Every structure is written in C-alpha cells, then in structure tokens.
Amino acid sequence: MSLNEITTRITAAEVAAGRAAGSVSLIAVSKVQPNERVKSVLDQGQRVFGENRIQEAAGKWPEFRTQYDGIELHLIGPLQTNKARQAMELCDAIHSLDRPKLANTLARLAQERGACPDLFIQVNTGEEPQKAGILPAESDKFIKECQSLDLSIRGLMCIPPVEEEPSLHFALLAKIAKRNGLDGLSMGMSSDFESAIALGATHVRVGSAIFGERVVS
Ligand SMILES: *Cc1c(COP(=O)(O)O)cnc(C)c1O
C-alpha cells in the first residue's frame, strides 16, 4: 500500500465518523525500515514519524532533519529512565509514559530544559503482564499524579492485545481520556486504524501498511 492510499483511507474514516478531514495525525512508523524506504516516504511529503527505540531513532533522524524541514518525531516504544534526556532532546512527542519513576524524571528534565515534548500516557487496556502501560484501574490516579508534577499530558495511548477485538480497547481508552478531560488519543495501527478513528483517535500509528513488511535482520 502507498502513503497516498493510507491518507485517503484516513480522510474517508474521518468523514464517516463525522469528524473534520485532517483532524487525525498520521504517524508513519519507520522502525526497522531501510533508509531508502523512509526517504521515499519523506519525498512524498510525510513529516510525522514514529520510532520505538531511542537508539535507532538517534541513528537516523538527526541526519534526516538536516535534509528535510518540519520533521516531527514520536517515540512510541518503551522508555528507560536513563534514556529520558536523550528522548527529550530527540523527540517531539513521547507516547510511552507509563510509570511514576519516568514521570518524575521527565518532570525534572522539563524544568531544567524549560521545554517538554508532548506526552501520552500508555494504558495497558488488555492488562497483559508482559506489556507496558499503567493499568486501567490505576490510570485516573496516575494521570493526576503527572498533572501535579506540571507535566502537560496530551492524551492516552494503547496497544490492544493481538487476539482481541481492538475496538473494545479503543472505546475503553476513549472513556478513560474523557473522564479525565484529555482529548488526545494515540490508537490504531495498520490493521485497525479506521476503527480507531471511528472511536476518536487523534493520532494513528501506521507502519507496515505504508512501508511494507518490516525486514527483521
Ligand atoms: C510497530 C508499532 C506500530 C505500527 O505497527 P504496524 O502494524 O506496522 O502498523 C504502532 N505502534 C507501536 C507502539 C508499534 O511498536
């Protein structure tokens, strides 16, 4: 599939949901993709990208930023506290704020830098033990905790369990966001971004449908 097809499908989903065309931000997930594929998508005009590992992001995006204007980089994978500073320097948004220790570190660095990327709190909507994210039952408390640290929370993020109907998880995430007065929703990937948009996604994270299957070396 091409970038063009995906943006067309996003617009159709926005309109079908009675939402303004262009209200959903497409994050092109470029992790593990060869640089030529990323360049080709940059050349087609895409400027918002997602990476799940800070090391990999540091290896490729500073160079692309010197070649293309207006790049916006989103960290969508787990963040270790000792990489928080690097993540803040490199990224415009972090979608994986998932524990008090990381919130404290980000708050301290934000004070020090006088700036902070957009932050999304990751919620483990499927309550999967191996998956990152704050549990739904603890999310209201954690959101308030982050806000009391003066972190400006853009919204919530989830990755539904692979075996389950994703729309149930999207609806749960939307409900938690709404009762906490948050309007950013980072949800929906290649196979389910249209249903995420129907349920209020503001940011969809689409990788393989744009770039092709990831080549695992
Ligand atoms: C890899 C990844 C995506 C993109 O997945 P696709 O199925 O390739 O669209 C989205 N979100 C996260 C957190 C990811 O790690």
Side-chain angles (χ1 to χ4, degrees), residues 7 15 23 25 59 80 82 88 99 103 107 117 130 134 137 159 163 182 186 193 200 217:
T7 53
V15 171
S23 54
S25 170
Q80 292 170 268
N82 64 5
M88 283 178 113
R99 57 196 193 279
Q130 82 286 7
I134 200 91
I159 309 171
E163 302 294 321
L182 298 173
S186 166
F193 65 87
S217 50

Side-chain angles (χ1 to χ4, degrees), residues 29 31 52 76-77 157 159 188-191 205-209 214:
V29 179
K31 65 183 186 204
N52 73 334
I76 60 171
M157 177 271 219
I159 309 171
M189 320 203 306
S190 289
S191 56
R205 312 178 308 265
V206 180
S208 42
R214 283 180 285 276

Side-chain angles (χ1 to χ4, degrees), residues 2-3 26 28 30 35-49 68 210-211:
S2 69
L3 176 67
L26 168 63
S30 50
N35 280 353
E36 329 61 280
R37 286 193 194 169
V38 182
K39 252 182 160 345
S40 145
V41 169
L42 277 160
D43 287 335
Q44 291 168 63
Q46 175 69 20
R47 287 296 178 270
V48 184
F49 290 85
Y68 297 84
I210 295 174
F211 292 101

